[in-house]
Amino acid sequence: MSDIYTRNAWFDRLFATEGLIWMGQNTNHLPPHPEVLAALHNSVAATEFSAYAPPLGFESLRSAIVADIGVAGVTAMVTDGGVNALATLCRARCRPGTTFVTTDPSWKWPCQFAEQMGSEVIQIPIWNPDCHYRLTPDALAAAVDDSTALIYLVDPNNPLGIHYSREELQAFIDIARRHNALLIHDCTYRDFAPEHVAALGLDSEQVVMSVSFSKWLGLAGLRVGALVAAPALLAELAPYNGGVLGASVPAQRAAEAGLKVKGEWMTTLLAADKRNKARIAEAVSAVPGLSLPVYPSGGNFLVIDVTGADIRPEALVECYLQQGIQIRHGGYHTATFGDRFIKVSTTVPAEWAEKFAALLPEMVAQAAQLQQFRQPF
């Protein structure tokens, strides 16, 4: 693993690459809704950025977030992206002598936050067709004990895209309750999963929820998300938020505008996502050795297993980057299973997905010959 300065310079070069096709960060690159753009423009024109926002977020946005989730008796704290909500939870609950339990693969950053606070991170392997690439109650029960502070469940899972039923979530909650652990339900991708269930609606004492506006609304660079919990629990957790001066004012205005047009917007977004997934799946099926472990994915991405093609995921990423397409290799998510897959984002313009799909056979052939590749992350 290279140092932070090398990685930062790498992403800085990517960001400065004119016309780069971003298909590796699950970000949404469809043209924004006009109401969202108008909210941003109006906020900047009014120079609202000159003042700090309320520490928990604007009351109107906090109410809109709770209404969108549809769970009664809870409240929201707006954060600098969903990741800051997760960092807040780790600062609040993780200590030496505690454990932080999640899956493998999972989203890597909360694991690092927990380790920084002194917790032992326990990752339960789920890259296995025998368990249908999902966490089971039995596996979770075997990993959790009275030292467990947090159970971290990304649902839908990033990167696999599986999502959980009401019965599974209730079983996970029961395990958390037995050991007085807090279940974090990371619902960053909930809007892409059919009939997604909010665990917070099943138990607001043992569950907290994190959400993001990066994926469905395309506000990744603006950094806005939320932590949602019962009022007393949120009051306990809020002092651990590093963003004590409030989240970005223009970002909050854009987020609230997005919630107002969400029904209309999601119709457009989900149609594009479904179309792009189908095109990529078609291309994968035509290349020997490639497969889709989970299809359709409950997130705005697909995992492509490359083990049958006898290529390195990093090599395939490098070949695509030479064509102006950024995708992500599995090592970003998991050291154990990272050599098995790449991940491709699907909330992108149709021409991006088409270019990725059309190039796939050639890129796999090139990757089989590639011995060196630049991957400082």
Side-chain angles (χ1 to χ4, degrees):
M1 178 65 73
S2 57
D3 65 70
I4 184 63
Y5 302 109
T6 302
R7 296 199 301 275
N8 193 76
W10 169 262
F11 276 104
D12 188 74
R13 286 193 296 273
L14 287 180
F15 207 92
T17 302
E18 186 176 353
L20 183 68
I21 292 176
W22 291 94
M23 295 183 69
Q25 296 179 312
N26 304 347
T27 43
N28 174 8
H29 295 274
L30 297 180
H33 192 285
E35 293 296 324
V36 175
L37 286 179
L40 277 171
H41 292 160
N42 292 341
S43 180
V44 171
T47 64
E48 287 190 319
F49 51 79
S50 297
Y52 296 119
L56 296 182
F58 289 114
E59 292 291 334
S60 55
L61 176 56
R62 296 177 63 222
S63 297
I65 290 169
V66 172
D68 180 57
I69 293 167
V71 175
V74 298
T75 190
M77 175 176 70
V78 182
T79 57
D80 301 318
V83 67
N84 198 40
L86 299 169
T88 297
L89 291 164
C90 291
R91 282 194 293 269
R93 290 296 180 94
C94 291
R95 298 288 184 274
T98 66
T99 64
F100 175 97
V101 178
T102 188
T103 58
D104 186 6
S106 182
W107 200 46
K108 62 187 283 185
W109 301 113
C111 298
Q112 292 191 18
F113 300 151
E115 287 177 338
Q116 289 164 1
M117 296 305 300
S119 281
E120 176 192 358
V121 173
I122 298 173
Q123 291 195 258
I124 303 167
I126 61 170
W127 188 285
N128 188 336
D130 291 341
C131 65
H132 305 287
Y133 301 97
R134 60 201 306 112
L135 179 64
T136 66
D138 287 345
L140 182 63
V144 172
D145 60 24
D146 289 347
S147 70
T148 302
L150 296 173
I151 299 169
Y152 177 53
L153 185 71
V154 188
D155 176 29
N157 175 270
N158 178 17
L160 279 163
I162 58 93
H163 56 100
Y164 295 96
S165 68
R166 180 179 300 271
E167 292 73 23
E168 288 171 312
L169 291 172
Q170 187 61 63
F172 299 153
I173 292 168
D174 292 343
I175 293 167
R177 180 173 288 280
R178 283 202 299 270
H179 299 284
N180 197 31
L182 193 62
L183 175 66
I184 304 173
H185 198 201
D186 182 342
C187 297
T188 296
Y189 302 98
R190 71 186 185 94
D191 297 293
F192 299 96
E195 300 180 354
H196 184 269
V197 177
L200 191 61
L202 305 178
D203 188 324
S204 60
E205 294 181 2
Q206 221 68 38
V207 177
V208 292
M209 181 179 190
S210 66
V211 296
S212 171
F213 290 86
S214 294
K215 316 306 180 184
W216 72 269
L217 198 55
L219 303 185
L222 285 171
R223 311 309 307 129
V224 59
L227 175 62
V228 187
L233 183 53
L234 189 67
E236 173 201 330
L237 299 169
Y240 294 91
N241 179 16
V244 293
L245 300 180
S248 161
V249 172
Q252 292 194 59
R253 299 302 193 200
E256 188 170 358
L259 289 172
K260 290 178 180 177
V261 298
K262 188 172 183 180
E264 172 191 347
W265 175 244
M266 289 308 299
T267 299
T268 300
L269 185 63
L270 291 176
D273 182 63
K274 181 179 180 179
R275 176 196 64 222
N276 291 336
K277 284 173 178 170
R279 178 64 186 99
I280 292 170
E282 177 186 33
V284 168
S285 67
V287 179
L290 300 187
S291 63
L292 297 173
V294 178
Y295 189 84
S297 166
N300 62 331
F301 48 80
L302 288 172
V303 157
I304 301 175
D305 191 322
V306 302
T307 52
D310 196 27
I311 59 173
R312 292 288 304 177
E314 299 94 332
L316 190 55
V317 169
E318 175 66 24
C319 291
Y320 267 106
L321 192 56
Q322 292 173 6
Q323 299 296 320
I325 301 175
Q326 185 261 344
I327 58 175
R328 181 147 271 168
H329 65 83
Y332 174 81
H333 284 281
T334 166
T336 307
F337 305 108
D339 61 348
R340 302 186 182 188
F341 68 95
I342 61 166
K343 186 181 69 175
V344 183
S345 306
T346 50
T347 45
V348 297
E351 56 269 24
W352 290 15
E354 177 58 40
K355 183 174 182 179
F356 172 87
L359 284 170
L360 188 58
E362 179 186 349
M363 295 297 96
V364 170
Q366 289 185 14
Q369 305 301 317
L370 195 63
Q371 301 301 316
Q372 295 183 335
F373 29 80
R374 308 160 293 167
Q375 294 299 316
F377 57 90

